[in-house]
């Protein structure tokens, strides 16, 4: 049976993408385009003592820290990541310079001949040096002293590669005297800001334009800023168009990934087996530079009790400096790590206490009006019970649990439930991003609006346009909405944090409504609509107290697997999901997020293994960094419970990350049932499962 | 070396090294950029083209291997009536998101439905098993191929 | 400066080989990966290249009393759809790489490439397959297992090329398992092929091959021979000893795809499962 998407409209970019007409960064044709290749450090830590260049033929350049006109900084929240290594190398493959020239082969030859002398230092690859620490408490942790029992466990998650199909790539050129950038990106204004700082160029002399983008998932949130700083530096010196596109091995080896983590949880129990409270410590591996690791850590900590309410909490978190490629944004942004831990912990605790895990989970399930982990309030109606019941029914969960729990079944079913806070954490939207949306109308009644949101596949260009079309009540062809160009649009913020529809969509609806309210036929009119946070949101960043997010989306994933006891391989046999994303504006688009999110999460849970040995990733291409193929995926069934959100456009909340965060715990729980052994780590790949079971031989 | 072959039904001669990848000839010499490169080692299928009606990874094909053969890229496929059925199905079922794997997926689908107009789900999965997609979770793609197969039936 | 040769027929190809040390490219699926440099750049062939994929006279599958003959330019796609090819071999091919690669790649190419993870090699070893190597003057036959000397090392003289592979007929029962990293399009972590013939309760033939657990396929005829001729119940008694013998000779490594412990353990699990299923 094929689905019917009655609420959906044709995606605006479909026709070009299917016909191969969409122009991605690598497809851009330009005369006299030079190529840039990177000269990278061959050690993980140390000082650069000397750089000996080969003789550079005419038209070939070496660009390095010395060529930077402004500051040698790629600001990603912190000012710690240099555009080029100046003296200190902090990870293997850090960019020391670029070789730029006409012939790529010659550039690569020259890059290989750059002879760098180092004074090596001892690198650190383990999570021992904390560079960011955060903590908060809830309720009265003093009560922990009266516990009759303490139950503790530790959980680990690995690296994950975004594995967007289009690798990182960028073109820079001068358009008159304006530094112009086209790149595979998520956040045009991040690149814009990075280049201004590196070049000392003013705002109106840097222009970032988005071509088609072949997937991002967080991986193109920050990294393109670094490339932008490097290439803009080269452009100022060479003054010719330059392109840099990574081959897949370079992309895997040297661009940002999901933070590996370790989470320790202790439950303090009274003598009636009630949970007095939890003590949770989340450790994440931030890599060589802090970048956004502090914010990832915040989200991990805030989400550490997932969709459960515990009255008393001690929450601690550390991000660690290691001499590896910096970890950064990836769909879920910290919450997948801690939600994996708590979902498995509750099950293990229930088994330890001899209680049905579902019973224990139900007991602590979040309800409307409950206090969040950071002493905010879950204000809006919560339909998690309905989501749970619907998913359980779709999957025949209870019968399967009975059946598969029997010894020797080699099958398993696992359920996770979860929440995702939409938008930037805390006051981020109103204090840091300060989105402003420009909408204008010409004399003929044609409306154009501008956002800095990038559509890298999610469908937001279609949905944002629709929000404006439907609000104005005018025909679709009277509304123009193009991909971002920083010379035309004001910043409506990054395309990240599941904020596009809930925040920017809300802003677009509001702007369109204002335009409608003042609409005068035959006149040019323009409105600049600033984002105003709902006034009930109070957040204190220093103490991590208050309402962390304006709204929460909710979901349930159920995954069924079978296990081959000879090879320890797992096969995914079924997958059912239910979500509350507020109101689905376009069901086909939201289902697309749901399907893509859960499959990426299943990969995270059982397939995708990425291991660094001495700071070097072992997996080098898509033949050994294993993402799911079509044959690894069962029929995906998805349902929704409508629960319109009062502050988003047309009742919508975020959907991008929500669909990722529950997949790993659901499959890990299914694997536990199939192998009849506790799982404490993802990916739960066959090698790990063998290790678990070998202790029983 | 001068190399003759047929691209999208047009005879073409390129003067290139015989070891040059078909992908580079298509993209850099002929400027047909609908064919994408995702991995450069035959793992992702984004560079899929038809050579004498059979799907090939153009990133692993030296141009010497297509001398005298007929190569079809998405730019050729999109002129066919079958393409319209497939593209319409991909639009209706959410078979394309970021669009980078999409030309390859569509060519793989085209080739499958040419040789097997009514594939089983298993046959669909096998035919598309070399085409990676990171956005859709494949469900929209499977549904797209199912729908294209049904629609093709009505046109038979 | 290297030369590129695109011969029109086999005799021209052999002429070229008699004068030039060449890489021989059929489908290109192995060499074009190995020699790939970067997008938009030529592969880095450091010696002459001979392209043979257009040699139609080597594109054949035929059967005679020696076995099934598969030409050097015959693609996996055609091998797997041929009625002449034994099912065992088709099973192995069906899990090989991706559909596109099966459309392009040749059996001869995979053999010539001698990858330790080449799945078809396990079957070729177990089926006692042999190659025909030809130069301008003569032909010779050599067992696949003797042809392969190590990782990417083969017993081909510069003037020779593989012209066909011969898979002898057999009526073996078989147990094939490729252990990949995912359901499709995976390179083996390991593979196992067990095959046997029993008649009136007696083991008439026994063959065991392991892939990806050593620099090349592990098959040990000496071990196999010791158990041929046993009654099945006697054989069952010997299973622990057989496992012990293979345990001694299987020493896999850890790499980006798996660990040595996993490879070893699963190899032994599959061996045991196979042995206990012989009836």
């Amino acid at each position: 049976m094929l689905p019917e998407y009655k609420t959906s409209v044709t995606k605006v970019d479909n026709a070009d993408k299917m016909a191969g007409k969409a122009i991605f960064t690598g497809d851009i044709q330009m005369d006299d385009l030079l190529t840039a290749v990177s000269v990278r450090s061959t050690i993980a830590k140390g000082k650069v003592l000397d750089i000996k260049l080969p003789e550079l033929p005419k038209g070939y350049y070496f660009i390095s820290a010395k060529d930077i006109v402004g500051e040698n900084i790629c600001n990603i929240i912190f000012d710690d990541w240099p555009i080029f290594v100046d003296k200190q190398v902090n990870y293997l493959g850090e960019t020391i310079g670029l070789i730029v020239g006409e012939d790529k082969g010659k550039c690569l030859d020259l890059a290989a001949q750059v002879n760098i002398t180092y004074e090596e230092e001892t690198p650190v690859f383990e999570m021992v040096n904390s560079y960011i620490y955060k903590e908060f408490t809830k309720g009265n942790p003093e009560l922990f002293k009266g516990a009759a029992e303490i139950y503790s466990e530790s959980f680990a998650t690995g690296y994950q590669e975004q594995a967007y199909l289009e690798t990182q790539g960028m073109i820079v050129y001068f358009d008159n005297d304006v530094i112009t950038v086209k790149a595979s990106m998520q956040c045009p204004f991040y690149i814009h800001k990075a280049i201004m700082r590196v070049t000392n160029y003013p705002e109106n002399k840097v222009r970032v334009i988005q071509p088609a983008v072949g997937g991002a998932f967080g991986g193109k949130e920050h990294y393109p800023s670094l490339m932008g700083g490097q290439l803009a530096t080269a452009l100022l010196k060479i003054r010719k168009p330059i392109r840099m596109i990574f081959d897949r091995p370079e992309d895997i080896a040297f661009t940002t990934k999901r933070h590996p983590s370790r989470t320790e949880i202790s439950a303090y129990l009274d003598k009636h087996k009630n949970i007095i409270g939890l003590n949770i410590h989340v450790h994440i591996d931030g890599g060589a530079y802090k970048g956004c690791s502090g914010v990832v850590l915040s989200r991990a900590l805030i989400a550490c009790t997932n969709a459960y309410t515990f009255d008393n909490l001690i929450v601690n978190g550390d991000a660690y400096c290691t001499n590896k490629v910096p970890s950064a944004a990836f769909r879920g942004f910290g919450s997948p790590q801690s939600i994996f831990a708590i979902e498995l912990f509750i099950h293990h605790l229930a088994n330890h206490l001899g209680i049905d895990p579902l019973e224990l989970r139900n007991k602590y399930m979040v309800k409307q009006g409950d206090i969040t982990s950071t002493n905010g309030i879950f204000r809006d109606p919560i339909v998690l019970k309905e989501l749970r019941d619907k998913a359980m029914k779709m999957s025949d969960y209870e019968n399967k649990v009975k059946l598969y729990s029997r010894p020797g079944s080699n099958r398993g079913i696992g359920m996770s439930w979860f929440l995702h806070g939409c938008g930037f954490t805390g006051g981020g939207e109103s204090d840091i991003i300060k989105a402003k949306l420009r909408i204008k109308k010409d004399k003929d009644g044609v409306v154009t609006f501008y956002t800095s949101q990038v559509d890298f596949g999610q469908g937001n260009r279609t949905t944002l346009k629709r929000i404006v079309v439907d609000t104005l009540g005018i025909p679709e062809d009277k509304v123009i909405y193009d991909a971002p160009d920083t010379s035309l649009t004001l910043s409506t913020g990054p395309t990240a944090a599941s904020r596009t529809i809930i925040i920017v969509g809300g802003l677009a609806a509001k702007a369109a409504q204002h335009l409608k309210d003042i609409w005068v036929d035959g006149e040019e009119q323009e409105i600049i609509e600033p984002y105003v946070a709902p006034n009930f949101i109070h957040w204190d960043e220093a103490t991590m107290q208050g309402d962390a997010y304006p709204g929460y989306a909710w979901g349930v994933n159920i995954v069924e697997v079978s296990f081959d006891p000879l090879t320890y391989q797992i096969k995914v046999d079924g997958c059912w999901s239910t979500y509350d994303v507020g109101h689905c504006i376009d069901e086909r688009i939201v289902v697309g997020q749901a399907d893509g999110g859960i499959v990426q999460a299943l990969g995270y849970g059982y397939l995708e293994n990425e291991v660094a040995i001495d700071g070097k990733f072992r997996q080098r291409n898509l033949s050994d960094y294993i993402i799911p193929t079509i044959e690894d995926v069962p029929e995906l069934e998805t349902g929704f419970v409508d629960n319109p959100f009062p502050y988003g456009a047309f009742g919508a909340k975020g959907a991008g990350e929500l669909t990722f965060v529950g997949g790993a715990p659901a499959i890990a729980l299914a694997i536990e049932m199939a192998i009849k052994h506790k799982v404490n780590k993802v990916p739960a790949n066959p090698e790990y499962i063998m290790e678990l079971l070998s202790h029983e031989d | 070396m001068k190399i003759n072959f047929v691209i999208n039904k047009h005879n073409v001669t390129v003067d290139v090294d015989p070891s040059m990848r078909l992908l580079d000839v298509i993209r850099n010499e002929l400027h047909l950029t609908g064919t994408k490169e995702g991995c450069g080692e035959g793992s992702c299928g984004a560079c899929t083209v038809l050579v004498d009606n059979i799907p090939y990874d153009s990133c692993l094909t030296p141009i010497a291997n297509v001398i005298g053969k007929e190569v079809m890229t998405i730019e050729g496929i999109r002129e066919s009536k079958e393409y319209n059925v497939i593209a319409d199905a991909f639009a209706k079922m959410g078979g394309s998101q970021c669009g980078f794997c999409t030309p390859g997926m569509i060519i793989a689908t085209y080739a499958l439905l040419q040789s097997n107009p009514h594939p089983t789900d298993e046959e669909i999965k096998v035919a598309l098993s070399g085409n990676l997609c990171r956005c859709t979770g494949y469900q929209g793609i499977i549904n797209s191929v199912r729908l294209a197969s049904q629609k093709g039936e009505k046109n038979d | 400066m290297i030369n590129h040769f695109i011969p029109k027929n086999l005799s021209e190809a052999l002429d070229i080989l008699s004068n030039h040390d060449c890489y021989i490219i059929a489908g290109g699926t192995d060499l074009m990966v190995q020699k790939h440099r970067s997008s938009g750049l030529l592969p880095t062939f450091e010696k002459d290249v001979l392209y043979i994929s257009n040699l139609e006279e080597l594109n054949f599958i035929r059967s005679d009393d020696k076995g099934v003959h598969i030409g050097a330019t015959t693609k996996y796609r055609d091998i797997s759809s041929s009625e002449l090819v034994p099912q065992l071999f088709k099973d192995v091919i069906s899990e090989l790489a991706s559909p596109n690669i099966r459309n392009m790649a040749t059996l001869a190419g995979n053999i010539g490439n001698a990858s330790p993870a080449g799945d078809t090699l396990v079957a070729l070893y177990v089926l006692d397959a042999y190659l025909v190597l030809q130069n301008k003057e003569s032909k010779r036959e050599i067992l696949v297992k003797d042809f392969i000397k190590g990782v990417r090392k083969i017993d081909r003289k510069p003037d020779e090329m593989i012209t066909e592979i011969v898979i002898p007929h057999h009526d073996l029962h078989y147990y094939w398992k490729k252990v990949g990293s995912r359901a499709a399009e995976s390179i083996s972590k390991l593979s196992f092929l067990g095959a046997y013939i029993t008649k009136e309760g007696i083991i008439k033939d026994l063959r065991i091959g392991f892939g990806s657990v050593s620099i090349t396929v592990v098959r040990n005829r000496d071990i196999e021979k010791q158990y041929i001729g046993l009654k099945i119940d006697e054989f069952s008694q010997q299973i622990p000893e057989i496992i012990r013998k293979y345990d001694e000779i299987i020493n896999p490594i850890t790499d980006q795809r798996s660990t040595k412990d996993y490879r070893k353990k699963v190899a032994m699990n599959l061996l045991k499962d196979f042995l206990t299923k012989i009836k």
Side-chain angles (χ1 to χ4, degrees):
Chain A
M1 263 296 284
L2 291 171
E4 276 184 61
Y5 297 114
K6 288 184 182 140
T7 62
S8 299
V9 295
T10 303
K11 274 168 64 183
V12 296
D13 52 354
N14 248 341
D16 280 355
K17 283 181 171 174
M18 286 189 281
K21 290 178 181 168
I23 300 298
F24 294 82
T25 302
D27 304 336
I28 295 169
Q29 312 280 331
M30 248 180 154
D31 292 334
D32 304 322
L33 195 51
L34 303 182
T35 294
V37 304
S38 302
V39 175
R40 298 180 178 281
S41 72
T42 52
I43 61 166
K45 192 175 183 203
K47 294 207 166 40
V48 174
L49 298 180
D50 182 45
I51 301 176
K52 270 208 179 58
L53 294 179
E55 193 173 329
L56 295 174
K58 189 169 180 298
Y60 288 81
Y61 306 85
F62 178 69
I63 307 295
S64 68
K66 284 186 203 144
D67 299 299
I68 291 178
V69 175
E71 288 181 89
N72 185 12
I73 286 295
C74 180
N75 173 288
I76 302 168
I77 300 173
F78 293 94
D79 267 356
D80 62 343
W81 193 348
I83 298 288
F84 291 114
V85 169
D86 189 1
K87 294 217 164 49
Q88 181 66 40
V89 169
N90 286 314
Y91 67 91
L92 184 74
E94 192 167 2
T95 315
I96 289 171
L98 301 177
I99 296 278
V100 183
E102 189 187 331
D103 184 86
K104 185 182 183 184
K106 201 171 271 179
C107 290
L108 287 170
D109 288 341
L110 292 168
Q113 291 161 27
V114 176
N115 195 343
I116 300 164
T117 319
Y118 303 96
E119 180 185 315
E120 283 199 57
E121 295 163 11
T122 309
V124 175
F125 301 119
E126 304 302 319
M127 291 197 279
V128 288
N129 297 332
S130 171
Y131 55 18
I132 301 170
Y133 174 73
K134 290 176 190 277
E135 62 178 353
F136 57 86
T137 61
K138 175 184 174 185
N140 181 11
E142 285 294 310
L143 295 172
F144 292 0
K145 288 178 185 158
E149 189 190 351
I150 304 171
Y151 180 79
S152 306
E153 272 195 41
S154 177
F155 301 88
T157 64
Y159 276 110
Q160 189 182 23
E161 196 59 41
Q162 287 87 0
Y164 29 67
L165 261 282
E166 181 206 24
T167 54
Q168 306 267 4
M170 179 175 282
I171 293 180
V172 298
Y173 59 96
F174 271 118
D175 184 1
N176 293 318
D177 57 347
V178 177
I179 297 175
T180 308
V181 179
K182 291 181 177 170
S184 192
M185 66 174 87
Q186 275 177 250
C187 310
F189 280 97
Y190 282 7
I191 301 172
H192 187 256
K193 192 175 110 188
I195 290 179
M196 282 165 55
R197 189 158 176 195
V198 173
T199 59
N200 285 339
Y201 267 48
E203 206 171 312
N204 62 349
K205 298 291 179 195
V206 180
R207 180 181 179 193
V208 180
I209 304 166
Q210 181 227 311
V213 176
F217 313 109
K220 294 170 183 171
E221 183 170 350
H222 300 299
Y223 199 83
S225 301
L226 190 74
M227 294 171 79
Q230 295 168 352
L231 288 176
T233 302
L235 179 68
L236 290 196
K237 186 162 171 184
I238 304 167
R239 308 196 79 85
K240 282 186 184 162
I242 306 167
R243 170 156 59 197
M244 178 156 74
I245 294 181
F246 288 175
D247 285 342
R248 180 64 62 180
E250 188 172 19
D251 195 297
I252 290 180
F254 306 121
T255 69
T256 59
K257 308 162 200 319
R258 190 185 298 288
H259 293 73
S261 77
R262 190 179 75 246
T263 299
E264 288 130 14
I265 309 181
S266 296
Y268 294 81
L269 303 154
D270 71 14
K271 59 185 176 190
H272 306 293
K273 301 183 180 177
N274 296 307
I275 300 172
I276 302 168
L278 302 181
N279 184 339
I280 302 178
H281 197 140
V282 181
H283 311 261
I284 62 171
D285 184 343
Y289 300 109
K290 289 178 198 165
C292 63
S293 290
V295 195
V296 169
L297 182 65
S298 287
R299 198 178 264 276
L301 297 182
I302 294 162
C304 74
T305 53
N306 193 18
Y308 305 100
T309 300
F310 301 104
D311 294 336
N312 306 296
L313 294 172
I314 298 176
V315 179
N316 300 274
D318 284 284
Y320 294 87
C321 181
T322 58
N323 293 105
K324 292 184 285 187
V325 169
S327 308
F330 193 162
R331 196 181 209 165
F333 209 73
S335 67
Q337 290 92 325
S338 56
I339 286 178
F340 165 71
I342 189 73
E343 284 296 277
L344 272 81
F345 181 80
I346 299 260
H347 270 253
H348 299 176
L349 175 63
N351 290 334
H352 171 76
L353 297 173
I355 305 172
D356 174 8
L358 187 55
E359 193 187 312
L360 188 71
R361 298 173 63 179
N362 286 335
K363 186 172 161 186
Y364 294 97
M365 180 193 271
V366 167
K367 304 179 301 296
Q368 185 178 11
D370 279 0
I371 304 298
T372 69
S373 62
T374 56
N375 290 304
I377 299 173
F378 288 110
R379 286 186 175 77
D380 301 307
I382 293 172
V383 294
L384 191 50
K385 280 195 172 122
E386 289 85 336
L387 294 172
R388 176 199 63 196
D389 293 346
K390 189 169 180 160
M392 285 171 63
K393 197 169 162 216
M394 281 160 70
S395 60
D396 194 19
Y397 179 79
E398 280 175 298
N399 280 325
K400 286 177 180 169
V401 168
K402 277 183 210 143
L403 212 59
Y404 301 164
S405 298
R406 291 177 194 156
S409 79
N410 292 327
R411 300 189 73 175
I413 190 162
M415 170 165 60
S416 64
W417 63 56
F418 46 88
L419 81 179
H420 194 76
C422 303
F424 264 44
T425 303
E429 291 294 342
S430 43
D431 302 341
I432 299 168
I433 297 178
K434 299 177 187 161
K436 286 195 187 75
L437 187 143
R438 186 156 78 98
I439 187 166
K440 65 173 191 185
K441 166 169 91 59
D442 68 12
K443 287 178 188 148
D444 302 323
V446 175
V447 172
T448 309
F449 74 104
Y450 304 91
T451 77
S452 53
Q453 277 18 84
V454 175
D455 193 329
F456 38 84
Q458 325 89 304
N460 55 17
R461 240 179 97 196
T462 303
T463 301
L464 287 172
K465 181 173 181 180
R466 181 168 175 189
I467 286 168
V468 170
V469 167
D470 287 2
T471 304
L472 289 169
I474 61 175
E476 209 187 311
D477 60 4
K478 294 282 183 196
V479 176
I480 297 170
Y481 173 50
D482 287 329
D485 173 342
T486 57
S487 70
L488 299 171
T489 179
L490 301 168
S491 177
T492 52
T495 313
S498 304
R499 61 182 293 280
T500 294
I501 297 304
I502 192 171
I503 304 284
V504 184
L507 196 56
K510 221 164 132 189
Q513 186 59 49
H514 283 172
L515 179 63
K516 194 178 180 183
D517 292 345
I518 61 161
W519 187 287
V520 181
D521 283 333
E523 264 185 33
E524 283 184 12
Q525 293 176 290
E526 179 172 298
I527 284 174
I528 291 175
E529 186 75 39
Y531 174 76
V532 181
N535 58 11
F536 55 80
I537 296 287
H538 299 290
W539 174 255
D540 185 74
E541 181 64 35
T543 58
M544 293 193 69
Q545 292 293 293
D547 284 300
Y549 304 102
Y552 299 87
W554 306 83
V556 176
N557 291 150
I558 296 180
V559 176
E560 184 179 340
V561 302
S562 48
F563 164 64
D564 180 342
L566 290 174
T567 62
Y568 314 99
Q569 287 170 304
I570 294 294
K571 179 170 166 289
V572 184
D573 297 321
C575 181
W576 301 265
S577 304
T578 53
Y579 297 106
D580 159 18
V581 292
H583 174 69
C584 278
I585 298 175
D586 187 313
E587 194 180 331
R588 182 172 56 219
I589 284 177
V590 181
V591 167
Q593 289 297 295
D595 292 342
I598 186 73
V599 168
Q600 202 169 42
L602 294 176
Y604 184 49
Y606 86 115
L607 282 182
E608 297 183 25
N609 194 32
E610 186 166 32
V611 180
I613 306 225
D614 296 337
K616 185 179 179 184
F617 292 97
R618 227 175 175 148
Q619 289 69 27
R620 55 174 300 281
N621 206 325
L622 295 177
S623 56
D624 39 30
Y625 183 78
I626 296 299
I627 66 171
T629 70
I630 199 166
E631 289 200 54
D632 294 282
V633 178
E635 196 76 10
L636 306 170
E637 293 181 40
T638 305
F640 297 97
V641 173
D642 203 51
N643 182 22
F645 178 63
Y647 303 96
F650 301 173
K653 299 190 272 199
E657 294 170 285
L658 175 74
T659 58
F660 184 92
V661 299
I667 192 169
L669 289 167
I671 291 171
E672 287 193 346
M673 190 180 287
I675 67 172
K676 312 287 181 274
H677 194 290
K678 238 169 34 174
V679 165
N680 285 66
K681 186 178 100 176
V682 287
N685 60 3
E687 287 78 4
Y688 172 64
I689 293 171
M690 179 199 77
E691 209 180 290
L692 289 177
L693 299 182
S694 68
H695 299 305
E696 293 185 346
D697 279 359
Chain B
M1 190 185 280
K2 286 208 162 64
I3 289 177
N4 299 301
F5 64 106
V6 177
I7 183 113
N8 301 329
K9 300 191 175 162
H10 298 287
N11 288 313
V12 69
T13 304
V14 290
D15 190 3
V16 297
D17 188 289
S19 69
M20 184 179 277
R21 305 184 304 166
L22 174 59
L23 174 64
D24 292 330
V25 173
I26 291 169
R27 287 182 55 85
N28 302 341
E29 304 293 320
L30 305 174
H31 305 296
L32 299 170
T33 56
T35 306
K36 306 302 180 194
E37 176 164 6
C39 69
E41 58 152 24
S43 296
C44 76
C47 68
T48 302
V49 300
L50 299 183
V51 175
D52 286 350
N53 273 319
I54 295 171
Y56 273 40
D57 286 328
S58 61
C59 75
L60 298 185
T61 306
I63 191 70
N65 278 12
V66 302
I67 291 173
K69 293 188 187 291
E70 286 189 33
V71 177
M72 278 283 246
T73 67
I74 189 69
E75 288 85 354
I77 302 277
R78 74 189 181 207
E79 302 302 323
S80 67
K81 69 176 200 302
E82 293 87 351
Y83 168 80
N84 292 328
V85 176
I86 294 168
D88 187 56
F90 269 67
K92 286 205 168 71
M93 289 297 126
S96 168
Q97 287 191 28
C98 82
F100 202 79
C101 75
T102 308
M105 284 287 179
I106 288 195
I107 292 180
T109 303
Y110 176 94
L112 167 68
L113 296 180
Q114 288 278 309
S115 62
N116 181 3
H118 306 298
T120 61
D121 284 355
E122 192 46 43
E123 287 166 339
I124 294 172
K125 286 191 167 195
V126 169
L128 301 186
S129 63
N131 292 76
L132 297 178
C133 169
R134 192 60 155 169
C135 297
T136 64
Y138 303 105
Q139 187 65 47
I141 292 170
I142 293 233
N143 287 344
S144 300
V145 183
R146 287 169 177 159
L147 180 62
S149 163
Q150 284 175 17
K151 284 283 163 74
E153 188 168 13
K154 282 174 199 146
N155 291 348
D156 280 351
Chain C
M1 191 62 190
I2 58 161
N3 297 299
H4 297 271
F5 300 106
I6 309 172
K8 294 202 170 46
N9 52 49
L10 178 60
S11 104
E12 194 186 327
L14 296 175
D15 271 347
I16 293 163
L17 288 176
S18 69
N19 294 309
H20 300 270
D21 183 9
C22 292
Y23 284 112
I24 302 175
I25 286 199
T29 58
D30 280 323
L31 275 173
M32 290 296 281
V33 176
Q34 278 173 45
K35 302 296 176 186
H36 178 52
R37 189 174 184 208
S38 180
S39 175
L41 298 183
L42 296 177
T44 49
F45 290 109
E46 66 281 2
K47 62 182 188 188
D48 296 349
V49 188
L50 178 74
Y51 301 86
I52 62 162
S53 81
N54 291 336
L55 298 185
E56 275 306 309
E57 57 199 299
L58 296 181
N59 182 9
F60 60 79
I61 300 171
R62 61 170 183 263
S63 183
D64 62 17
D65 54 356
K66 287 179 172 169
V68 179
H69 300 247
I70 297 172
T73 63
T74 308
K75 312 269 199 275
Y76 280 120
R77 177 193 175 91
D78 300 318
I79 301 172
S80 62
S81 61
S82 166
E83 286 176 6
L84 301 175
V85 174
Q87 190 57 40
L88 186 169
F89 209 69
K90 290 182 184 179
D91 285 357
V92 174
I93 293 172
S94 73
E95 292 180 78
L96 186 107
S98 68
N100 287 4
I101 288 179
R102 297 195 289 272
N103 291 342
M104 302 160 69
T106 65
L107 181 56
N110 273 179
I111 297 168
N113 199 52
S115 162
D119 294 326
T120 46
L121 291 181
V122 184
L124 294 170
Y125 274 58
V126 166
L127 296 176
D128 296 329
Y130 61 93
L131 309 173
V132 178
L133 283 158
Q134 210 170 323
N135 65 12
K136 212 175 155 185
E137 275 83 38
S138 61
K139 283 184 184 185
R140 67 177 170 120
E141 292 178 355
I142 181 169
L143 283 168
V144 172
K145 79 170 174 61
D146 296 328
F147 180 71
I148 292 180
K149 296 288 182 197
V151 179
R152 311 212 181 283
K153 281 195 197 126
I154 52 172
D155 181 21
R156 176 177 83 83
K157 294 179 185 68
D159 65 345
E160 288 180 320
M161 69 184 277
I162 301 171
T163 51
E164 65 178 79
I165 299 99
V166 184
I167 302 174
H169 300 299
H170 68 84
D171 48 3
L172 294 158
H173 297 279
Y174 65 94
Y175 178 114
W176 160 248
K177 181 77 186 173
K178 166 172 174 161
V179 183
S181 43
R182 60 183 164 198
E185 224 217 317
S186 66
I187 301 173
S188 288
K189 291 176 177 179
L190 73 147
S191 57
F192 174 83
L193 178 60
Y196 66 93
I197 297 170
T198 53
K199 209 167 159 191
E200 290 156 357
I202 291 170
I203 308 277
K204 294 285 184 191
D205 198 356
L206 176 69
R207 307 179 187 190
I208 292 166
F210 300 86
S212 308
V213 296
S214 179
I215 53 168
T216 184
V217 172
V218 172
R219 183 179 171 205
N220 188 313
R221 194 60 183 157
D222 292 338
I223 300 179
E224 292 169 4
K225 274 188 192 155
Q226 292 171 37
Y227 304 94
I228 294 171
L230 293 184
K231 289 186 188 139
I232 288 175
D233 51 349
E234 292 168 347
F235 178 80
S236 302
Q237 309 266 321
Q238 299 296 318
I239 288 176
E241 187 191 289
I242 301 173
I243 291 172
R244 193 176 47 72
K245 285 185 174 154
Y246 280 100
D247 192 66
E248 281 168 16
I249 60 169
I250 290 186
N251 295 302
I253 58 156
T254 294
D255 64 8
Q256 75 275 28
R257 282 187 277 278
S258 192
T259 63
K260 65 178 196 296
D261 291 348
Y262 177 80
R263 288 186 161 114
K264 180 73 183 261
K265 176 86 176 149
V266 173
M268 291 300 124
N269 285 352
L270 293 171
L271 172 66
K272 185 174 175 187
D273 194 48
F274 162 65
L275 294 172
T276 50
K277 282 187 171 138
I278 291 176
K279 55 182 189 292

